[in-house]
Amino acid sequence: MASTKNQEGLAALQRDPQRIRNICILAHVDHGKTSLADSLLASNGLISQRLAGRLRYLDDRPDEQQRGITMKASAITLKHTLSDGGSEGTPAHSGTFLVNLIDSPGHVDFCGEVSTAVRVCDGALVVVDAVEGCAAQTVQVLRQAWLENIRPLLVINKVDRLISEQQLSPAEAYQRLLHILEQINALMGALFASHTLRQTELKRERQRAEEDDAKENTAETLYDDWDAGLEAADDSALYFQPEKGNVVFASALDGWGFSIDRFAELYAKKLGLSRRVLNLTLWGDFWLDGKEKRIKKNARARGKKPLFVQLVLDNLWQMYDAVGVKKDKALVEKMAAALGLKIHPRDLRLDPKGLIFALCSQWLPLGKAVLDAVCRQLPSPVEISEERVESLLASQQPFAALPGPTQALKPAFLACSAAPSAPLIAFVSKIFAVSSKHLSNHSSAAPTRGQALSLEEIAARREAVRQRREMAEGDGVTVEEPVAVSGEEKGEELVFLAFARVFSGTLKEGDEVFALGPKYQVDAAEAEGGLPAHASRVVVGAVYCMMGREMQRMPVAYAGNVVGIAGLEGVLTRSGTLSSTLACPAFTDLYTTSLPIVRVAVEPKKTTDLPRLVEGLKLLYQADPCVEVLLQESGEHVLITAGEVHLQRCIRDLQETYAKVDINVSPPIVPFRETVLTTGNGGDASVEMETPDRMYRLKMRAVSLPEATTRLLEDNAGVLKTLHERRKGKRRPEVAAVDEKLEKLKGELRATLEGSGITLESICAFGPRHCGPNVLVNASATPLPSVWTAAEQGSGLMENVAAGFNLATLAGPLCEEPMMGVAFVVEDLQMAPREDEEAAGSVGGGQVISSVKEACRRAFQAQPQRLMLAMYYCVIQASSDVLGKVYSVVSRRHGRVVKDEMVEGSEVFSIATLLPVCESFGLGEEMRKRSSGLALPQLTFSHWEVLEVDPFWTPGAGGRTASEEDYELYGDKADAENHALKYVGQVRRRKGLFNAGEQVVVSAEKQRTVKRNK
């Protein structure tokens, strides 16, 4: 619970955006994010200093505490006071700052929560384990921070492991830390180079379009200046350099941390050297000449100890040696006296870990070191860059193409003003649930657990809500109160709040604002004049300052603050924009690295609980940014999650929080895809089909698309869907951004189709659902309209052909799974001559659709059929002792090792594998059991891969047992299980389809009575 002392003065700080720092903690799983957050909370007196690193205060879910991982983003507001001017090269700061801290998950299954946290922040603490180094998720979070244009601050955590576990010397530890910095700076350099080259190329393309002289566009010119933008770009503030103060070395579990300027301050007086000089030379190839009292270069060449080793690491190693190895109390007391530390007699009776914590947390307090670096190095909301403002506002088109009133909002963004004249602009990144007992009832009081209202207060609030609703209904305004789900067992309610960042203006309870959905378009508002689609007016509910699990009510939310807002859950589904003007566009969609791939069907154990389950699924969909809920045609409710751990959390939330009913969960439903292997003209595998009334005759063949084409179509499904809506008149055609994306797609598609025999203009349709990775190609003499042209009036034949093609690609013949990477070429399409022209034009559309669908399926079956598997990219970190066991688990699950390498400076191996999603369930548990907890897999969806096994292949004819000839011909495969056939059989069995060779009825000639076992 937040203390009253911490709440004093928060309101004054919230009004000054210069004093605000909005930051999130990003890291790989188990790199120490939440332990670091505990130390920051302890510096504010919110938790005990001795419990920091062990309490995991922001992990308030029971399953988070049990598993030891963070599953949701939690925010808390802290205060920090700076007393000096900082180091050389950084602006001088002093006074009190407000830090809005967000702890985000590190597990790959919950990367959606990371996206919601990064969007509302201006800076990030990137935590890296000193032993494991730059892990897979570290790369992803750095990329997310780069894409959102927020400034990172590096924290190298668990340095104590280099002493206690790795038993490295100070010089070896220095080399290990240097290697980690090189790794991360190389990654930052790669991100910077790709971004700069992309911007340079876009600028060059715009210049080409404006140039009239063709001589300036020669290949020689492009060759000479292709990297000119990269050389001219400024990357001085890009890299992590300890001498600049943007790197903190820490041990969150032992409670200590420092940056270079801390030791520069300590040694400046002792050595009689300038603090500025020490700050620049403590890290790097410098050494101290004791005789001359001078700092010199080339320590490595001269065989001297680097200054960082001599003045910093040696002292740390001596402290750990005295406490943990020698256990010499007299030496410990002497060192404490020399450092000016207070050591109590009870501390000397603690175990070595406790004594180290007691000493180091006084000598090098972690909370102060990190918060000092945050206030000095990370930007305030006022320092938001123009590039980030334009990227947030221009979600669907370039910023220069936005209407004038929209572009006029840019100065308000940059000013971050809370003046009454400033427009309100706020972004809601997610909707989250909180227990009503954690909501404070008064803005002036600190949160109090279990605080109750009097009968008079209840009556007054009820009357105020009634009056507000009557006034709003008279004005035609939507009023949404927090949805409360009663907790019968616990006597509490569940309230949904919006996790939001105010970029401009102010927000308070009772304000009437526009709520803009992700699909809102500014030009639609101008065209229609009234309230446009995806926009609604809403009255804001209570506004809260987030204090971890507690919510502190606040009267006004000023620009630059991260707050919780009540009353929006019925208006915004997950994310959206709040604004006082319709000229504000919807913000750019959140960037995510993990897509939902694991499906299960859920149903209540009691049929009467179905309405509660449906309502619970709706609430779960709102509260979880990375879950999808589908209602299939069969009536099944399907839950789609990002992974196995995410699935377990969703099922638990559904049963205990949102639906509060017992449910049955099906085995995981893994999607597959169907494809063919042929290329070119497909040989002679053409099929002919005619409609039942013999009016139309069709000849078709199926060929496979190039892999690059398939991947391009899959990545641009949204663009293809927009193209279909435009052709059907469902979307306005004059959107410049859409035209630009379509032209880019056509150019890339033409390049990938080169040499395949398919031209861009001959494509008539995409499928399934008009936006899939399959194409219908017209190679017949009968003209069919291209998919790139506007739909012609009365082109019923083409609509029917496209409908049949989409139905066929939606469910293939192998196991009724969607097709992928298949091109159906119409070689001939003829209409039989009839005397009655009116009768000839009245052929039933259903006959054409069914005939085209059947022709596509037969053409597909005439080629070698293959199954496509969804593949995980699995990164496993394990010690050398259990490598054999790790490889055996991966091999048994039909995975393959892509890369394995030892992490430099440690005994840990990083193993990268590709693993079928259908074989991944239970992988983490099996890996932990086989390796005694020394191996941890991280799974991320990678791609679709063709299974190179014929699902109809059998070594012996007629299903007989493999013979010696089969063994000679096929080797070990002669009696091996056909995995493709096994997967096809499992899917067909689940869907209730017929399986050839499977016994369906047992003892059909008898009437058997099944007796229930008692």
Side-chain angles (χ1 to χ4, degrees), residues 367-481:
K368 183 180 187 308
V370 173
L371 291 177
D372 281 355
V374 165
C375 297
R376 291 172 182 155
Q377 298 293 329
L378 298 184
S380 67
V382 180
E383 300 173 54
I384 187 171
S385 64
E386 293 188 15
E387 185 180 2
R388 188 182 185 196
V389 171
E390 293 181 2
S391 65
L392 289 175
L393 290 176
S395 60
Q396 300 178 355
Q397 52 189 319
F399 182 78
L402 292 174
T406 302
Q407 296 189 37
L409 297 176
K410 181 179 177 180
F413 255 97
L414 296 173
C416 193
S417 173
S421 59
L424 169 67
I425 304 174
F427 178 74
V428 176
S429 64
K430 70 171 182 176
I431 306 291
F432 67 101
V434 63
S435 174
S436 59
K437 69 181 182 181
H438 294 149
L439 300 178
S440 68
N441 297 313
H442 302 285
S443 59
S444 59
T448 303
R449 188 182 295 274
Q451 183 176 357
L453 295 175
S454 65
L455 294 177
E456 292 79 6
E457 289 174 327
I458 294 175
R461 288 195 171 197
R462 189 175 296 163
E463 179 64 22
V465 171
R466 186 185 64 79
Q467 292 178 0
R468 190 176 67 180
R469 182 170 294 173
E470 290 178 354
M471 294 174 60
E473 289 177 353
D475 297 335
V477 180
T478 303
V479 179
E480 293 289 343
E481 295 298 327

Side-chain angles (χ1 to χ4, degrees), residues 867-918:
L867 203 63
M868 296 187 73
L869 306 181
M871 301 296 291
Y872 271 141
Y873 182 76
C874 176
V875 178
I876 307 169
Q877 292 195 339
S879 62
S880 57
D881 301 336
V882 296
L883 278 182
K885 297 177 180 178
V886 170
Y887 289 145
S888 66
V889 172
V890 172
S891 176
R892 186 164 55 253
R893 291 174 177 267
H894 310 297
R896 67 178 187 273
V897 176
V898 178
K899 179 180 64 175
D900 58 343
E901 59 185 6
M902 177 180 284
V903 179
E904 187 174 342
S906 70
E907 297 179 357
V908 177
F909 278 81
S910 179
I911 307 163
T913 67
L914 288 175
L915 188 74
V917 174
C918 55

Side-chain angles (χ1 to χ4, degrees), residues 592-808:
T592 181
T593 59
S594 181
L595 299 176
I597 191 69
V598 179
R599 303 182 175 212
V600 293
V602 294
E603 63 178 9
K605 290 185 177 180
K606 297 180 181 179
T607 311
T608 54
D609 291 335
L610 183 59
R612 296 179 64 182
L613 175 63
V614 173
E615 185 64 24
L617 287 171
K618 292 180 181 178
L619 297 178
L620 176 65
Y621 178 78
Q622 271 198 329
D624 195 316
C626 201
V627 74
E628 298 290 340
V629 179
L630 298 179
L631 177 61
Q632 292 188 333
E633 296 178 356
S634 60
E636 282 184 317
H637 292 278
V638 176
L639 200 63
I640 314 176
T641 61
E644 192 174 3
V645 179
H646 187 208
L647 172 63
Q648 293 170 1
R649 192 198 78 169
C650 290
I651 295 300
R652 180 169 182 168
D653 286 348
L654 201 57
Q655 289 179 319
E656 299 179 2
T657 305
Y658 301 122
K660 293 184 181 292
V661 296
D662 293 330
I663 60 176
N664 293 323
V665 183
S666 72
I669 305 170
V670 180
F672 292 88
R673 295 291 183 267
E674 301 181 22
T675 189
V676 294
L677 287 185
T678 58
T679 56
N681 57 13
D684 298 328
S686 301
V687 298
E688 295 186 4
M689 181 69 63
E690 61 182 5
T691 57
D693 62 354
R694 299 184 178 181
M695 184 64 190
Y696 286 97
R697 183 184 299 275
L698 178 70
K699 185 178 181 181
M700 181 179 291
R701 73 175 186 274
V703 298
S704 63
L705 285 173
E707 184 179 351
T709 304
T710 304
R711 187 165 53 250
L712 180 65
L713 295 177
E714 186 181 15
D715 294 340
N716 289 273
V719 180
L720 297 178
K721 185 177 181 180
T722 302
L723 173 65
H724 175 69
E725 292 175 351
R726 173 185 287 189
R727 297 184 75 232
K728 293 297 180 181
K730 298 179 181 179
R731 183 181 289 264
R732 297 180 63 191
E734 59 274 8
V735 179
V738 175
D739 292 334
E740 183 178 348
K741 291 179 180 178
L742 282 176
E743 290 301 322
K744 180 180 179 182
L745 174 60
K746 289 169 69 175
E748 294 177 352
L749 198 57
R750 182 178 285 107
T752 58
L753 287 174
E754 187 175 354
S756 64
I758 300 174
T759 61
L760 187 67
E761 292 72 17
S762 63
I763 299 177
C764 300
F766 298 100
R769 299 185 179 90
H770 305 281
C771 58
N774 305 284
V775 297
L776 179 66
V777 179
N778 182 28
S780 67
T782 303
L784 294 176
S786 173
V787 72
W788 310 107
T789 60
E792 301 177 2
Q793 296 293 333
S795 57
L797 174 61
M798 184 60 232
E799 292 182 359
N800 294 333
V801 172
F805 161 74
N806 274 273
L807 287 175

Side-chain angles (χ1 to χ4, degrees), residues 107-298:
H107 197 284
V108 68
D109 283 7
F110 307 105
C111 64
E113 293 280 346
V114 179
S115 302
T116 62
V118 171
R119 172 57 60 87
V120 299
C121 292
D122 301 302
L125 294 175
V126 179
V127 184
V128 178
D129 191 317
V131 174
E132 297 181 6
C134 188
Q137 196 64 12
T138 309
V139 177
Q140 294 297 334
V141 297
L142 278 172
R143 182 175 287 111
Q144 281 185 290
W146 177 268
L147 292 174
E148 290 287 352
N149 264 305
I150 68 174
R151 189 182 301 173
L153 174 70
L154 181 63
V155 179
I156 301 181
N157 193 25
K158 300 188 181 183
V159 179
D160 61 297
R161 294 183 63 190
L162 301 178
I163 308 173
S164 56
E165 293 182 17
Q166 303 296 314
Q167 297 183 355
L168 302 181
S169 66
E172 292 170 339
Y174 172 71
Q175 293 299 323
R176 175 62 186 154
L177 297 175
L178 189 63
H179 177 70
I180 292 175
L181 273 176
E182 290 174 351
Q183 274 186 316
I184 298 179
N185 283 333
L187 175 61
M188 296 299 294
L191 292 173
F192 174 77
S194 62
H195 173 76
T196 304
L197 291 175
R198 183 165 58 250
Q199 294 298 322
T200 304
E201 182 62 26
L202 291 175
K203 182 178 179 180
R204 186 179 293 116
E205 288 179 358
R206 289 193 295 268
Q207 290 176 350
R208 283 200 202 107
E210 296 173 358
E211 288 173 352
D212 297 326
D213 190 358
K215 294 182 180 180
E216 297 182 9
N217 292 329
T218 60
E220 182 179 358
T221 303
L222 294 179
Y223 177 79
D224 288 340
D225 65 350
W226 72 272
D227 60 345
L230 188 58
E231 292 180 353
D234 181 19
D235 61 347
S236 59
L238 175 69
Y239 301 108
F240 296 107
Q241 296 174 308
E243 60 270 22
K244 291 187 175 181
N246 58 4
V247 179
V248 176
F249 304 93
S251 171
L253 202 59
D254 288 346
W256 60 265
F258 64 89
S259 54
I260 289 295
D261 61 319
R262 168 62 175 163
F263 277 92
E265 179 185 1
L266 291 176
Y267 283 106
K269 296 180 180 179
K270 184 175 181 180
L271 298 178
L273 297 174
S274 167
R275 179 178 175 180
R276 182 185 65 85
V277 173
L278 280 173
N279 190 72
L280 294 175
T281 57
L282 264 176
W283 182 268
D285 195 22
F286 299 94
W287 63 284
L288 177 64
D289 189 338
K291 294 181 180 180
E292 300 182 10
K293 297 293 184 179
R294 292 180 57 190
I295 296 175
K296 299 181 178 181
K297 298 180 180 180
N298 304 322

Side-chain angles (χ1 to χ4, degrees), residues 71-92:
M71 296 185 179
K72 62 172 179 51
S74 301
I76 194 165
T77 301
L78 306 174
K79 290 197 302 182
H80 182 64
T81 301
L82 278 179
S83 57
D84 54 18
S87 59
E88 182 73 17
T90 61

